[in-house]
Amino acid sequence: MIVDAHTHIGLEIEGFDQQGLNIYGVMDTSGGEYFRNYTQLGIDACFTFASQAFYLDSVAHAENEALAKLNQRYPARIYAWGTVSLAWNVQRLRSEIRYAIQDLKLYGLKFVPICQGISLTNPGFDIVAQEAIDLGVPITTHDGSPEYCSAIQVAYYARKYPRLRVLSAHGGLRELWPDLIEAVRSLPNLYICLSGPTQWGIQSLYDALGPEKLLFGSDGGCGPAAITTAYLRRIERLRAPAAHKDMILGENALRFITN
Amino acid sequence: MNIDCYCVLGIDREYDLTAVALLNAMDLAGVNRAVIAPVDRYLAVDNKVGNDFIAQQARAFPKRFIASCCANPWYGKVAIQEFQRAVKNGARMLVMHPFLQGYLANDEIIWPLLEVASLEQVPVYFHTGQPGNSTPWQLVDLAERFPELDLIMGHSGTTDFWFDVVDAAKASPNIYLESSLARPFSFPERVQILGKQRVIMGSYAPINQLIFEWEQMRLALSPDALEPILGENLRRLLEKRGAL
């Protein structure tokens, strides 16, 4: 069972007309194409995130709804997460989070502070944490990007809210993965998605932490399939027993999402 | 000829690449030659120790390894002297790491060193991608200040500066994009815009696995772009001082 714990999809969003190519230089994929591509790659399920809402808060509500439809269409294969804008006022923030989780049945909340233009230390993220804890869902956030969401900022956010399950979405990217080693070791609620570190970084994280809190992820879905195959191959090349690779490739993600 | 632009040779806290292991990987990946660079410790301090080690390794495998060298500009005139000594000993590329060495990439502290590198016709490899210290546009500032100097944008601004890369390279014809850490699928479009003469293959072994990185890049590039990007572009820069 392989679960890609970090994918994006460019769905048709009501009231929004995407013109031309996305940031990866390709046309957005429909739900069907996205699903077919992942099936061809041998991936059984995905954590599926938005794409436009991180740039345009005005489409977040509609994109969450589009993701919910995808969830319904591919149950147990797509684990769609919603998002909200931290620029919204507290009342709207709380209400959209509750709508996304309770009404739309999305599995968690995803953030890209570097695109959303708001630091993880913004008070809006306190609201997010309170609501997510109350609703019993995890959050995942882009990491590795100073100044809004470096790996250690994610770690301190997780430390501030020990009852919030936090998935650091890129493992600190190419440079900042070392910041996560001690943090993940000491914080039971902090997990790492491996879509970002170098081969050396992935191996070092595994050697230091073992397999339990590491999740395979690619950040693919909106771009070429090579994004995904590259990270699959990085896990293949990891010096680890097959049972540990199975955990990283899918078992950990399933346990994380169904907790 | 296939040349890997950046391999870190040595054993230290974050590296463990021996000459034998590197040669083995190069053979398996079909890589003829590799530019070898010292580990981080020697980029930051004890430049001479690092340069001597790299020169010795290059002398031991003269058909396979090409020496680079380092000089931390905080050492002032001593850095320039060390760079000149390393070049006399065979170094063909200067490595700068503004984040590790502690300055902004375009800070005046490095200008004297770059002036000498320009005179010596030695290309300069900058580690880029670290916010504040080493970004593509800081490299453009240098490229405009030293138009005769070849600047290699190590890692092509990865991770967070990948949007800047094409415009920065368009602004300065003496900037070359090195591929390590960047995702290979991003290069075909860059090649289309900038031309196939402006991109250089590097693996950054052992931070990355050399064989894997070469496989990925070969899959991403069109056949006509393979020869220049996988070796000829770098060879052209390195041979400005004479044949390799």
Side-chain angles (χ1 to χ4, degrees):
Chain A
M1 179 81 177
I2 299 179
V3 181
D4 188 332
H6 190 140
T7 76
H8 292 272
I9 186 166
L11 293 169
E12 215 169 277
I13 304 167
E14 194 177 327
F16 175 70
D17 184 16
Q18 162 81 13
Q19 298 288 328
L21 307 177
N22 67 21
I23 60 164
Y24 292 104
V26 299
M27 294 299 291
D28 280 340
T29 46
S30 69
E33 275 176 281
Y34 167 95
F35 195 71
R36 271 195 303 281
N37 289 343
Y38 273 104
T39 303
Q40 279 173 6
L41 291 168
I43 294 188
D44 302 289
C46 296
F47 292 4
T48 308
F49 310 137
S51 56
Q52 301 298 342
F54 303 122
Y55 299 93
L56 294 168
D57 71 293
S58 57
V59 304
H61 182 87
E63 195 163 26
N64 286 343
E65 290 180 334
L67 284 161
K69 282 182 192 160
L70 190 73
N71 245 352
Q72 288 162 5
R73 192 167 169 200
Y74 302 105
R77 307 294 298 271
I78 299 289
Y79 296 94
W81 299 47
T83 195
V84 289
S85 169
L86 287 307
W88 293 339
N89 65 41
V90 173
Q91 190 183 1
R92 184 172 178 201
L93 196 52
R94 289 191 190 280
S95 121
E96 286 287 345
I97 291 171
R98 293 207 163 246
Y99 177 66
I101 304 302
Q102 292 181 315
D103 297 349
L104 297 180
K105 311 292 183 199
L106 297 174
Y107 283 85
L109 298 167
K110 155 77 174 170
F111 298 94
V112 189
I114 189 175
C115 296
Q116 294 176 294
I118 288 184
S119 168
L120 266 176
T121 52
N122 181 280
F125 275 106
D126 294 323
I127 306 293
V128 167
Q130 291 160 12
E131 292 292 335
I133 291 167
D134 194 48
L135 294 164
V137 294
I139 73 121
T140 185
T141 174
H142 177 94
D143 64 36
S145 297
E147 299 167 351
Y148 288 166
C149 48
S150 67
I152 204 156
Q153 284 172 306
V154 177
Y156 275 94
Y157 182 62
R159 192 172 83 167
K160 189 176 179 184
Y161 294 102
R163 291 173 55 217
L164 177 66
R165 281 180 299 132
V166 177
L167 178 60
S168 205
H170 293 292
L173 287 173
R174 314 293 192 276
E175 304 281 352
L176 298 178
W177 54 265
D179 276 344
L180 287 174
I181 291 178
E182 279 311 310
V184 170
R185 192 179 273 146
S186 61
L187 298 172
N189 59 325
L190 181 59
Y191 295 76
I192 295 176
C193 176
L194 295 171
S195 71
T198 59
Q199 190 75 34
W200 181 282
I202 291 172
Q203 188 70 50
S204 301
L205 287 167
Y206 168 77
D207 291 343
L209 298 168
E212 289 81 5
K213 296 174 87 177
L214 306 182
L215 281 64
F216 156 71
S218 71
D219 199 13
C222 274
I227 299 175
T228 306
T229 53
Y231 276 99
L232 276 172
R233 293 183 66 196
R234 287 193 195 284
I235 303 301
E236 262 174 44
R237 284 164 178 261
L238 185 68
R239 292 190 300 275
H244 286 186
K245 290 186 186 179
D246 288 343
M247 291 169 71
I248 293 167
L249 282 170
E251 292 168 13
N252 292 345
L254 279 184
R255 198 170 56 251
F256 183 86
I257 203 73
T258 56
N259 187 341
Chain B
M1 181 192 292
N2 292 332
I3 310 175
D4 193 315
C5 182
Y6 204 82
C7 297
V8 180
L9 205 57
I11 298 173
D12 203 52
R13 65 191 286 267
E14 64 289 278
Y15 299 98
D16 69 347
L17 188 60
T18 63
V20 171
L22 177 56
L23 289 167
N24 186 39
M26 289 165 64
D27 288 342
L28 291 170
V31 177
N32 306 95
R33 306 192 71 169
V35 178
I36 52 174
V39 298
D40 288 358
R41 179 188 308 278
Y42 300 125
L43 296 182
V45 295
D46 295 336
N47 302 150
K48 183 174 183 297
V49 178
N51 290 338
D52 284 346
F53 172 73
I54 291 299
Q56 177 212 349
Q57 296 290 311
R59 276 196 299 273
F61 302 96
K63 300 286 186 195
R64 306 301 302 278
F65 293 160
I66 302 161
S68 70
C69 65
C70 58
N72 190 330
W74 281 104
Y75 289 125
K77 285 180 183 170
V78 172
I80 293 173
Q81 288 163 2
E82 176 54 25
F83 168 63
Q84 289 173 318
R85 188 187 73 86
V87 170
K88 273 188 190 156
N89 283 340
R92 289 294 181 106
M93 186 173 90
L94 173 63
V95 176
M96 305 300 290
H97 200 318
F99 183 76
L100 202 60
Q101 295 173 323
Y103 51 88
L104 303 187
N106 54 346
D107 192 292
E108 63 186 10
I109 195 172
I110 65 167
W111 297 353
L113 195 53
L114 298 191
E115 275 171 27
V116 177
S118 185
L119 288 171
E120 295 279 5
Q121 294 191 293
V122 171
V124 183
Y125 180 103
F126 274 83
H127 286 265
T128 66
Q130 293 82 26
N133 284 85
S134 195
T135 63
W137 288 107
Q138 287 170 321
L139 219 56
V140 170
D141 190 20
L142 286 176
E144 290 177 352
R145 199 174 295 278
F146 298 97
E148 304 300 319
L149 180 64
D150 295 316
L151 295 170
I152 300 173
M153 189 191 290
H155 323 311
S156 295
T158 304
T159 304
D160 285 334
F161 296 92
W162 67 296
F163 285 114
D164 296 12
V165 167
V166 167
D167 278 352
K170 274 165 77 178
S172 300
N174 50 331
I175 286 180
Y176 297 83
L177 307 183
E178 189 261 359
S179 65
S180 66
L181 298 185
R183 297 199 277 194
F185 77 83
S186 62
F187 283 98
E189 189 188 357
R190 290 171 176 175
V191 169
Q192 198 176 15
I193 296 168
L194 299 168
K196 57 193 175 192
Q197 312 306 320
R198 301 286 299 284
V199 175
I200 287 171
M201 170 65 196
S203 70
Y204 201 2
I207 296 293
N208 289 309
Q209 288 189 342
L210 184 146
I211 299 166
F212 177 76
E213 298 301 322
W214 277 77
E215 281 174 5
Q216 294 290 302
M217 188 56 106
R218 284 182 172 119
L219 287 171
L221 295 176
S222 60
D224 66 312
L226 290 171
E227 190 174 300
I229 291 173
L230 301 188
E232 286 307 306
N233 293 342
L234 180 59
R235 188 184 61 77
R236 199 172 60 249
L237 304 189
L238 297 174
E239 287 195 334
K240 284 191 175 175
R241 286 183 58 82
L244 285 169

